[in-house]
Amino acid sequence: MVGPKHHHKSPPRIGLPMTKLKTHYDVVVVGSGYGASIAASRLSRAGKRVCILERGEERWPGEYPEDTLKCASEVQFNGEHGQEGRRTGLYEIHKNKDQWAFVACGLGGTSLLNANTALKPEPRIWNDPVWPKEIREDQALLDQSFKHACDMLEPTPYPEDWPVLPKLATLEAQAKGAGVHDKFVRPPITVHFKDSLNPAGVYQKASTLTGNDTTGINDWSKNTTLMNYIPDAWNHGAEIFTCCNVVRIEHTKKKPKQKAPYVVYFEWQEQTREGFLHEHGAPTAPLFVTADIVVLGAGALGSTEILLRSNKSGLATSNHLGKHFSGNGDFLAFSYNGETLVNGVSMGDDDPKKFEHGVGPVITGLIDYRDTENVMDGYVVEEGAIPAQAALLLRTIYQVMSEKSSKSIKTNQDQSLQEKVERNARELASYVAGVYRGAMANTQTFLVMSHDDARGELELKDDRVRINWPGVGSSRNFSRLDGLLEPLAGAVRGTYVRDPLTAATDEAVVTVHPIGGCSMGRTGAQGAINHKGQVFTGQGEEVYEGLYVMDGAVMPMSLGVNPFLTISALAERACAILARDRGWTIKYEPTLTPIDFKTPQFPIAYNAQEANPDAHALAESLKKTSLQDVVDEDGELRGLLVSEPFPGEEKYGSSSSESESEAKPSRTLPKVFSTWGKGDDKKKAKEERREQRKKAGVSFTELLRGHLSTVILTEDFDTASSQARSAGSTMNVVLTLSTGPVEEFLKRTDHRARVVGTVSCRALSDEPMMIESGVFTIFTGTEDDPADECAILYKMGLLCASGERYRFEGRKPISTGHVIEGWIKPSKVLVTVYKIENGVETVFGRGKLGEHDDDFFTQITSVRGDTTSLAANIKAIKEFGVSTIGATVKTYLPFLNELQYPEDTHTRKTFKRERPTAQVFDVVASDGFKTRLTRYPGSKGPVLLLHGASVSSEIFATTLIPHNLCDYLIAHDYDVWLSDWRMSILVADSHKQSPIYGGARDHAAAIKIVQRETGVDTVQVIAHCVGSVTLWAGMLNGEIEGVGSLVSSQVATRPLVTTANKIKQNLQLVPLFDNVLGQDEFNCVTHSSSSASTETELPADDKASTTSSNTKGKKSLLDQAVDNALRFLPMPLQEYCNNAVCHRASFCFGLLWEHDKLSKNLHDNLDEILGSVNLESLKGLVHDWCKKQTLTNTEGQDLVTPENLKRAFENVPVLLIHGSKNQVFVPEATLKTVEQLRENNLPATAMTFDYKSMYRREVIDGYGHLDCILGDKAYKDVYPFILQHLEANLATTGYRTRREE
């Protein structure tokens, strides 16, 4: 059957990113070799949710190394002194004193590199009593299991009608010459010799006869498990995760919060992440996943190592664990420099078209010596192919060994001159013409599978598996094999050469078939597992019902043949019994339609709420904390298979991206992956590659270290961190952040990335916790954040191995303009941890993370692309880097940004307020100006609130902040009166020109109305800025009466301005606007040149929405010039912003606030607070009162005299409030006023008089000017002083002194 003509440039990718890992699976399979992949395939076909954890990388044909340097970079050694090389390197060599082992590391396990020979053991093998009787007595089930394995693996002999292979012909000639031609056969091998669809639905191609099987075949012909069982498992819903090195298994009894009895701990071996953590001395905390069933299929060494380590951590096992290890009697030898062409060196990275003869699959022939009287004396001899990458080294070794060999067919003395010349000529040819000529071309490889006594032991040393088997290399079996192989070499007049390692050491032997270590037995006293593969809990028959081993580790003895078919059959048998025991049905039908590797054909439905109610509840909780667009709806938390996928992600997987510029695979891909086609096919492929490049993403690792307190639970993070530090309560967080496709990441305003990793904190859990549903946002924030601040946000669930859950929220503030203390020297992450019990969240801990100033630079070193395409990765990293640098510059140097205008789209949030019914009164001043009063009745008071210039009473009553002064006083039962006097932007007469003193007349009229309506003699007043100075002027002039107590904000009798405002005075800017530019007012509100009239209903609830300004403005050239000039208005660097309204207000009055005290929501909507000021009033304020540093009447007479102060304020308690960072009026302004009041009105001899209670001054640390009223935290930092003053004077003012009617 021919596959569909789908065209893909790149091999598929069926492995999932770590962010897709679920909390729990029905089955977790460890490894991906024959046993593991069979378990994953069969149990997925039984309808179970399966997770595969593979420690190696995912590589497909076309991605295996072929040249020497690339192969060398893929070698890893595990020896006495530790691990060397990359931990996910494809070729793994275990070096031990006596027994070496060669295995593969990658998705597909050792099937990626084996020699393909599918042989059943000699039938008498099963009669050995080391096999459990259930296997010996049920041959039918075993035969059926072999059939199932063969049906999927499709072994077939090398075809008779295919080209003659010299090495195969040579082996047959050697069999004839040794008199054993009847034992020569072509064994079945798992290689495709025609283009066809295999039983798993994967399209494979015919072999190109390269002989590269043992280094990784790139022509899609080799039937590795990556070609069948693994994609079959994926196609039936299994989820695959690579670079996951399982370290141990924990068995726990089910608890109320524990989903499953097995916890699988694993290390995520992503290379850059590991290097980053190693460089910074951070321990690699294991991640974990839970399962009802765990199948270990990590190979004899891997599975045994996991169980040995688990045993050390408390998992009870049989004493036979680690014993009965066997090298399967593997023996390697050579017939060097014979007279027959062998062509036994693989092609490596050379083009097959250059070769006259094919090398062939690594094994195509076999001499079967198993018909011995004692089955343990039997063996098989197979020809092989020397890897091209090792041939140059072996060429010299063979020559030296052959010269010293005493086992040659002839000694030098017996050879004729012609023979010597010919042999020397062949050796010379191998040096001159290369390894495909001369002696090396005539060298036959003998691969022998025999029997050993399986007395090797696997043990842990330094937490790594080691093979202990003294004397194995000098055993009788291997000595016997020397004599048996010599005739084969002699048949072609070659020199018999033993395995170089064995010959060099006289002890160590190499096996490519390590088996045993978790051997079968009837009870724990005889083996480590039972016939089903279940692990014994001790020496008896009791087993862990859900813990299985299905790989070469189960063998209790050597097999005398290549073991993978037997491993496969026993795994098929174990899966069949496992399913039968649980009433499951495995569907064995082949897949008849090709896999497209985008969407599984048989996905498994999953209901998160039913499968894991706790995880679902946490997902719902996270949705309520602004993660609704990333939290999983049809999967679990950690999976995040959202209905709206994360940018650029396919729901079930996607193809990798590939670049045209990178090295192409040296073998042609099958048609379903190729771009052979012409015309439209090539155009389509090119478009597809372009789209794939858009999906390239970036990942990086972050290490956060700090402290968490479970004692201090308030928002005082400094105190919490100090307490935790003193108590030694540490928290370490290791995060790997993935952007997804950079193109999509950069489009999102919150720049959201996904997070996976661990959190270690003994205050929360004895074991490291897994991060669930982790989300990271950069250079973002909420409308409640300070105006000068954006933030890096961390939001994630934490899952303990015990089943307990927490919610982690972290916030790293980034302040505008703080370049040094900002991104390069980042602020600390403020952490809050919530404990989740029965669906209820409570604050469990607070603290701070990020206590090392080199965080920024260390993160840079861990940035990497997440595709297989070098070009795509470079492009993604470049785009990410440029964008990040650009965002950083704009954050810390905001004057370089585009100006923000009121009509620009922004977020607006309002806060509902329940107030008494408002009463509105018209006010007419003595000079005819019309203003108004708004009353909110209460039982205390009354209190009159006077605003400053260019604003309105909204500064006291705005709903843009959670807590305003008006509602604060209403909540304390005050009768609140809001005055919108002539400088209010809400009254029409604000546009009339008026002397600055005119405001006093408005206040006088307003107080009389309050007295009239309430019947009180005196009123308490809160006055801000210009409202304050005009009130003081009126009281000093005798025009205002009836003030019982006074709170003045920022200024009173002495308007002392800052240096910046003095400069503006001297520049005569107000007269310039008035006389030269012909302006009669200055408006703090400005608009973009393209502003339009748009009215949008604003929400009245707490939910954020998007709105535009409802003010239509026509922008003049003057306004445009002013706006652009004011972008560079000098001010403290950290106070720069890009808000055009804020700039204009700062230009007119000076900086009105510290940005960190203002919420972003208010700052973005300043046009609702600010407005215009008439220039006559402004001129009077700036060039009269401020310049003279005193208050005057309309005739210019100084009102601040001792007599006036005595008369107006002798019995009026005064509280002066001033922001310590005020950039309009310096703090000395109110200091001079309070000193003058005390000196003038209080008797110096009255030492018992509490002068502070009469005339008080409070300097508000960290605050500026208007933020003392509008600040987001003013209700905590400022309002209590005001309330204290009002409460202290209730006895002498307001309703308690009401006049009798």
Side-chain angles (χ1 to χ4, degrees):
M1 179 179 292
V2 179
K5 296 186 181 299
H6 292 171
H7 296 274
H8 297 277
K9 171 67 177 177
S10 307
R13 281 290 177 266
I14 56 178
L16 293 174
M18 193 55 60
T19 52
K20 296 283 189 179
L21 184 69
K22 303 292 187 298
T23 302
H24 172 77
Y25 292 87
D26 299 327
V27 181
V28 167
V29 176
V30 180
S32 59
Y34 289 101
S37 61
I38 288 171
S41 168
R42 297 316 186 194
L43 298 181
S44 294
R45 281 174 170 261
K48 302 296 115 182
R49 286 185 63 84
V50 174
C51 166
I52 299 175
L53 298 178
E54 164 56 47
R55 71 187 176 100
E57 299 175 1
E58 179 179 359
R59 311 167 195 253
W60 288 77
E63 298 179 313
Y64 301 117
E66 291 180 335
D67 68 63
T68 303
L69 291 178
K70 288 183 178 178
C71 284
S73 69
E74 292 293 335
V75 177
Q76 56 170 312
F77 290 92
N78 274 291
E80 181 180 355
H81 301 294
Q83 198 273 346
E84 303 171 45
R86 200 160 52 87
R87 294 178 69 192
T88 56
L90 181 60
Y91 316 116
E92 182 173 17
I93 299 173
H94 287 263
K95 301 186 298 181
N96 300 277
K97 181 180 179 182
D98 305 292
Q99 177 76 69
W100 289 36
F102 174 79
V103 296
C105 177
L107 187 62
T110 303
S111 76
L112 300 174
L113 307 180
N114 72 355
N116 313 307
T117 309
L119 289 176
K120 289 184 178 181
E122 214 279 348
R124 290 176 293 167
I125 288 290
W126 303 110
N127 297 330
D128 195 297
V130 296
W131 296 98
K133 67 176 183 178
E134 292 87 349
I135 290 180
R136 287 184 275 122
E137 295 176 359
D138 193 352
Q139 191 64 39
L141 179 57
L142 188 61
D143 290 342
Q144 184 185 50
S145 299
F146 271 108
K147 181 179 184 304
H148 285 318
C150 290
D151 287 345
M152 183 66 87
L153 296 172
E154 297 185 300
T156 184
Y158 183 77
E160 296 283 352
D161 57 353
W162 269 54
V164 174
L165 301 176
K167 67 184 181 70
L168 176 60
T170 298
L171 184 66
E172 186 171 6
Q174 288 172 317
K176 286 181 180 178
V180 289
H181 187 251
D182 60 318
K183 299 181 185 300
F184 173 81
V185 295
R186 296 188 179 195
I189 54 177
T190 51
V191 176
H192 261 59
F193 296 104
K194 62 179 179 178
D195 296 358
S196 64
L197 192 73
N198 71 23
V202 176
Y203 193 85
Q204 292 186 249
K205 286 186 65 66
S207 173
T208 54
L209 306 180
T210 64
N212 288 339
D213 306 63
T214 55
T215 56
I217 203 81
N218 281 314
D219 63 9
W220 291 83
S221 67
K222 184 177 173 69
N223 299 355
T224 67
T225 60
L226 189 58
M227 294 290 103
N228 37 66
Y229 283 112
I230 292 174
D232 185 70
W234 176 86
N235 202 31
H236 286 80
E239 296 179 355
I240 302 169
F241 301 90
T242 58
C243 299
C244 297
N245 180 43
V246 173
V247 292
R248 63 186 174 91
I249 311 295
E250 181 180 290
H251 176 253
T252 58
K253 302 227 182 238
K254 285 195 176 184
K255 303 175 183 178
K257 296 177 183 177
Q258 183 69 32
K259 172 65 183 176
Y262 299 101
V263 182
V264 181
Y265 292 92
F266 65 94
E267 296 173 345
W268 186 23
Q269 295 185 154
E270 196 286 319
Q271 184 178 2
T272 309
R273 179 178 185 269
E274 276 205 321
F276 172 85
L277 296 177
H278 176 74
E279 181 181 348
H280 296 92
T284 304
L287 286 72
F288 64 85
V289 64
T290 63
D292 296 319
I293 295 173
V294 175
V295 177
L296 292 177
L301 300 176
S303 293
T304 307
E305 180 179 33
I306 292 168
L307 285 177
L308 286 171
R309 196 179 289 116
S310 302
N311 176 261
K312 283 196 169 185
S313 298
L315 184 77
T317 61
S318 162
N319 291 337
H320 279 262
L321 178 63
K323 294 181 170 56
H324 310 296
F325 175 80
S326 167
N328 198 43
D330 282 4
F331 188 79
L332 179 64
F334 303 90
S335 169
Y336 173 69
N337 194 9
E339 295 182 349
T340 305
L341 175 66
V342 176
N343 195 34
V345 178
S346 73
M347 296 182 184
D349 57 352
D350 286 326
D351 189 340
K353 295 178 182 179
K354 293 169 53 178
F355 290 79
E356 180 181 356
H357 302 285
V359 176
V362 70
I363 292 175
T364 54
L366 175 146
I367 304 175
D368 193 343
Y369 290 95
R370 290 181 293 167
D371 58 347
T372 55
E373 181 178 353
N374 182 349
V375 68
M376 298 300 289
D377 290 335
Y379 62 98
V380 295
V381 178
E382 302 161 345
E383 103 281 25
I386 300 169
Q389 298 81 3
L392 291 176
L393 175 64
L394 291 175
R395 176 181 59 189
T396 302
I397 294 175
Y398 291 162
Q399 182 181 356
V400 173
M401 291 181 65
S402 68
E403 291 174 353
K404 296 180 178 181
S405 173
S406 62
K407 302 180 177 67
S408 174
I409 61 162
K410 285 185 178 181
T411 64
N412 286 334
Q413 292 80 5
D414 294 334
Q415 291 178 353
S416 68
L417 178 62
Q418 181 179 355
E419 288 176 318
K420 291 181 179 180
V421 170
E422 289 176 351
R423 291 180 64 82
N424 291 336
R426 288 196 298 269
E427 288 183 338
L428 180 63
S430 287
Y431 280 94
V432 175
V435 295
Y436 299 113
R437 298 289 186 272
M440 288 299 291
N442 289 19
T443 295
Q444 178 75 288
T445 301
F446 297 136
L447 304 174
V448 181
M449 268 61 68
S450 63
H451 290 280
D452 54 38
D453 56 15
R455 291 185 180 180
E457 290 191 21
L458 300 180
E459 54 190 16
L460 285 183
K461 287 186 178 180
D462 299 326
D463 205 40
R464 292 178 300 110
V465 69
R466 307 288 292 146
I467 304 172
N468 183 24
W469 199 348
V472 60
S474 58
S475 67
R476 182 192 68 83
N477 179 58
F478 294 129
S479 300
R480 178 177 64 93
L481 289 175
D482 284 333
L484 296 173
L485 293 175
E486 286 180 40
L488 298 179
V492 292
R493 304 181 68 78
T495 300
Y496 176 75
V497 177
R498 211 182 193 203
D499 167 29
L501 176 65
T502 306
T505 62
D506 288 327
E507 292 183 359
V509 293
V510 179
T511 180
V512 293
H513 300 129
I515 56 177
C518 301
S519 60
M520 288 184 176
R522 189 177 63 82
T523 68
Q526 298 170 327
I529 63 172
N530 67 6
H531 74 100
K532 299 179 182 180
Q534 293 170 311
V535 177
F536 286 119
T537 62
Q539 310 316 304
E541 297 183 358
E542 184 182 354
V543 295
Y544 296 103
E545 292 294 332
L547 182 55
Y548 290 80
V549 180
M550 298 185 193
D551 56 25
V554 308
M555 303 299 172
M557 62 180 294
S558 56
L559 298 175
V561 294
N562 309 65
F564 82 81
L565 185 62
T566 305
I567 294 171
S568 300
L570 290 176
E572 289 276 11
R573 178 183 181 277
C575 287
I577 295 175
L578 185 156
R580 182 185 66 194
D581 289 348
R582 290 163 175 78
W584 302 346
T585 300
I586 299 176
K587 301 175 182 178
Y588 290 98
E589 298 82 5
T591 300
L592 302 178
T593 56
I595 298 177
D596 66 4
F597 291 103
K598 288 186 177 179
T599 304
Q601 188 176 353
F602 311 101
I604 298 174
Y606 183 74
N607 186 310
Q609 186 170 9
E610 293 180 1
N612 200 325
D614 290 338
H616 181 76
L618 180 55
E620 294 298 315
S621 170
L622 289 172
K623 286 182 182 182
K624 296 175 182 178
T625 59
S626 303
L627 297 180
Q628 62 270 19
D629 52 350
V630 294
V631 175
D632 194 357
E633 291 184 357
D634 59 357
E636 273 196 69
L637 272 172
R638 205 184 302 159
L640 291 175
L641 299 176
V642 293
S643 57
E644 177 187 357
F646 203 72
E649 286 189 0
E650 305 291 345
K651 189 168 184 180
Y652 292 99
S654 63
S655 300
S656 67
S657 67
E658 185 82 20
S659 170
E660 293 181 28
S661 62
E662 64 181 313
K664 297 179 174 62
S666 61
R667 305 290 175 255
T668 306
L669 302 179
K671 289 183 181 179
V672 290
F673 302 114
S674 70
T675 53
W676 294 354
K678 300 180 180 180
D680 291 341
D681 288 339
K682 286 188 175 181
K683 182 177 180 181
K684 182 178 179 181
K686 187 174 181 180
E687 292 175 354
E688 182 174 325
R689 290 195 298 271
R690 187 181 299 113
E691 288 301 314
Q692 289 296 324
R693 284 196 292 272
K694 292 181 180 179
K695 296 183 179 181
V698 167
S699 298
F700 61 93
T701 298
E702 184 174 15
L703 173 62
L704 298 173
R705 290 175 281 203
H707 296 83
L708 183 82
S709 172
T710 56
V711 177
I712 308 298
L713 302 181
T714 65
E715 293 187 12
D716 187 347
F717 293 97
D718 289 330
T719 302
S721 180
S722 297
Q723 187 280 325
R725 187 190 301 271
S726 65
S729 179
T730 61
M731 173 178 272
N732 293 324
V733 181
V734 178
L735 306 171
T736 296
L737 305 104
S738 177
T739 64
V742 168
E743 184 175 303
E744 297 295 329
F745 171 79
L746 297 179
K747 288 179 181 178
R748 305 181 75 87
T749 57
D750 60 358
H751 301 307
R752 185 175 65 249
R754 283 190 172 158
V755 174
V756 65
T758 58
V759 175
S760 300
C761 180
R762 292 295 296 271
L764 304 179
S765 172
D766 291 338
E767 296 283 352
M769 295 165 285
M770 280 282 289
I771 292 173
E772 295 184 305
S773 194
V775 177
F776 164 93
T777 61
I778 184 171
F779 292 123
T780 187
T782 69
E783 60 278 355
D784 299 324
D785 289 335
D788 73 332
E789 192 172 289
C790 59
I792 295 175
L793 303 178
Y794 305 81
K795 295 188 177 183
M796 51 207 181
L798 304 181
L799 175 65
C800 305
S802 63
E804 292 182 316
R805 278 187 164 86
Y806 298 89
R807 183 164 65 83
F808 177 106
E809 286 192 359
R811 186 176 189 279
K812 182 188 291 187
I814 301 174
S815 298
T816 301
H818 288 275
V819 178
I820 302 300
E821 293 78 12
W823 184 249
I824 295 177
K825 185 179 179 183
S827 56
K828 309 310 178 194
V829 179
L830 309 181
V831 174
T832 301
V833 174
Y834 302 86
K835 188 169 186 178
I836 304 172
E837 290 184 306
N838 301 320
V840 178
E841 293 184 358
T842 55
V843 175
F844 192 78
R846 296 202 193 259
K848 294 169 70 176
L849 299 176
E851 299 180 354
H852 300 273
D853 294 336
D854 62 349
D855 285 350
F856 172 72
F857 299 102
T858 58
Q859 289 172 30
I860 290 177
T861 64
S862 70
V863 174
R864 65 186 184 280
D866 59 9
T867 74
T868 58
S869 165
L870 177 61
N873 287 342
I874 292 175
K875 181 175 182 289
I877 293 172
K878 174 187 172 185
E879 291 178 352
F880 176 78
V882 169
S883 173
T884 302
I885 292 172
T888 303
V889 170
K890 289 181 179 180
T891 298
Y892 301 129
L893 302 175
F895 51 79
L896 299 179
N897 295 350
E898 293 291 329
L899 288 174
Q900 176 188 335
Y901 291 97
E903 57 272 10
D904 293 338
T905 299
H906 57 272
T907 301
R908 183 181 187 276
K909 181 178 180 180
T910 60
F911 299 86
K912 283 183 176 179
R913 291 290 174 260
E914 297 295 334
R915 297 173 179 167
T917 303
Q919 302 172 13
V920 180
F921 300 87
D922 292 327
V923 180
V924 180
S926 59
D927 58 359
F929 272 77
K930 297 178 180 178
T931 60
R932 73 181 186 203
L933 280 171
T934 303
R935 180 189 187 186
Y936 294 102
S939 61
K940 297 179 186 177
V943 179
L944 176 64
L945 277 63
L946 305 177
H947 58 77
S950 195
V951 291
S952 71
S953 63
E954 273 295 291
I955 67 170
F956 303 116
T958 180
T959 58
L960 292 172
I961 57 178
H963 309 279
N964 59 57
L965 183 56
C966 174
D967 291 303
Y968 183 85
L969 296 176
I970 290 173
H972 287 86
D973 299 324
Y974 278 89
D975 187 0
V976 179
W977 293 74
L978 303 178
S979 172
D980 282 291
W981 54 285
R982 69 183 61 192
M983 296 190 80
S984 168
I985 62 175
L986 298 181
V987 298
D989 281 2
S990 65
H991 299 287
K992 293 181 180 180
Q993 299 301 306
S994 169
I996 185 65
Y997 180 82
R1001 301 184 177 116
D1002 297 335
H1003 307 330
I1007 291 173
K1008 289 177 182 178
I1009 292 176
V1010 175
Q1011 289 174 323
R1012 182 191 71 201
E1013 294 297 322
T1014 61
V1016 300
D1017 290 323
T1018 57
V1019 177
Q1020 299 205 76
V1021 179
I1022 302 171
H1024 173 72
C1025 190
V1026 180
S1028 175
V1029 292
T1030 52
L1031 177 73
W1032 280 76
M1035 293 179 66
L1036 291 170
N1037 201 30
E1039 192 166 345
I1040 297 176
E1041 297 178 345
V1043 176
S1045 81
L1046 174 61
V1047 177
S1048 280
S1049 172
Q1050 312 310 316
V1051 67
T1053 61
R1054 299 300 179 187
L1056 308 180
V1057 297
T1058 60
T1059 301
N1061 279 345
K1062 287 180 181 178
I1063 293 174
K1064 286 186 283 186
Q1065 278 181 3
N1066 295 330
L1067 291 175
Q1068 299 292 309
L1069 293 179
V1070 177
L1072 174 67
F1073 272 78
D1074 184 10
N1075 302 325
V1076 178
L1077 301 178
Q1079 305 294 306
D1080 57 6
E1081 66 179 16
F1082 183 84
N1083 197 343
C1084 293
V1085 176
T1086 183
H1087 300 274
S1088 66
S1089 56
S1090 59
S1091 62
S1093 177
T1094 307
E1095 186 100 19
T1096 305
E1097 286 295 325
L1098 303 180
D1101 55 23
D1102 288 348
K1103 293 182 179 179
S1105 65
T1106 300
T1107 182
S1108 300
S1109 172
N1110 58 7
T1111 303
K1112 182 178 181 180
K1114 184 177 181 181
K1115 189 163 187 175
S1116 66
L1117 292 176
L1118 176 61
D1119 286 332
Q1120 294 182 43
V1122 170
D1123 289 348
N1124 284 307
L1126 293 183
R1127 291 172 64 175
F1128 303 95
L1129 179 69
M1131 62 176 64
L1133 185 60
Q1134 65 268 23
E1135 298 300 336
Y1136 274 105
C1137 68
N1138 65 338
N1139 188 309
V1141 175
C1142 184
H1143 288 192
R1144 291 175 74 99
S1146 297
F1147 169 69
C1148 185
F1149 302 107
L1151 185 63
L1152 291 179
W1153 36 64
E1154 291 296 299
H1155 279 82
D1156 63 343
K1157 301 302 181 186
L1158 231 58
S1159 72
K1160 187 176 186 298
N1161 185 55
L1162 179 65
H1163 189 258
D1164 286 347
N1165 296 279
L1166 287 176
D1167 57 301
E1168 298 183 31
I1169 301 296
L1170 295 168
S1172 62
V1173 57
N1174 74 81
L1175 290 187
E1176 184 177 350
S1177 296
L1178 187 59
K1179 189 189 306 182
L1181 175 64
V1182 174
H1183 292 282
D1184 191 0
W1185 289 3
C1186 291
K1187 193 169 186 177
K1188 296 177 180 178
Q1189 298 186 359
T1190 190
L1191 309 180
T1192 62
N1193 59 19
T1194 53
E1195 287 76 30
Q1197 297 172 328
D1198 189 355
L1199 295 175
V1200 187
T1201 65
E1203 296 78 19
N1204 290 343
L1205 287 171
K1206 189 80 170 178
R1207 172 185 49 79
F1209 290 95
E1210 183 175 22
N1211 299 311
V1212 178
V1214 175
L1215 170 64
L1216 298 174
I1217 290 176
H1218 212 121
S1220 67
K1221 294 185 176 182
N1222 196 312
Q1223 297 293 311
V1224 182
F1225 298 107
V1226 295
E1228 288 78 9
T1230 51
L1231 178 61
K1232 286 184 176 295
T1233 297
V1234 75
E1235 288 176 344
Q1236 192 173 15
L1237 283 173
R1238 293 171 182 172
E1239 182 181 349
N1240 189 77
N1241 290 1
L1242 298 178
T1245 56
M1247 301 301 295
T1248 59
F1249 188 85
D1250 186 4
Y1251 68 88
K1252 287 187 177 181
S1253 66
M1254 190 67 180
Y1255 304 122
R1256 293 174 51 224
R1257 176 175 176 265
E1258 295 289 347
V1259 177
I1260 311 301
D1261 185 48
Y1263 278 75
H1265 186 77
L1266 191 52
D1267 46 334
C1268 285
I1269 304 298
L1270 288 171
D1272 205 39
K1273 296 294 187 294
Y1275 74 99
K1276 290 182 177 180
D1277 301 333
V1278 184
Y1279 297 175
F1281 293 120
I1282 297 175
L1283 180 64
Q1284 181 185 17
H1285 182 81
L1286 297 179
E1287 294 284 323
N1289 292 289
L1290 280 177
T1292 57
T1293 62
Y1295 293 135
R1296 296 187 184 180
T1297 60
R1298 190 193 301 257
R1299 293 173 294 176
E1300 294 295 331
E1301 295 295 335

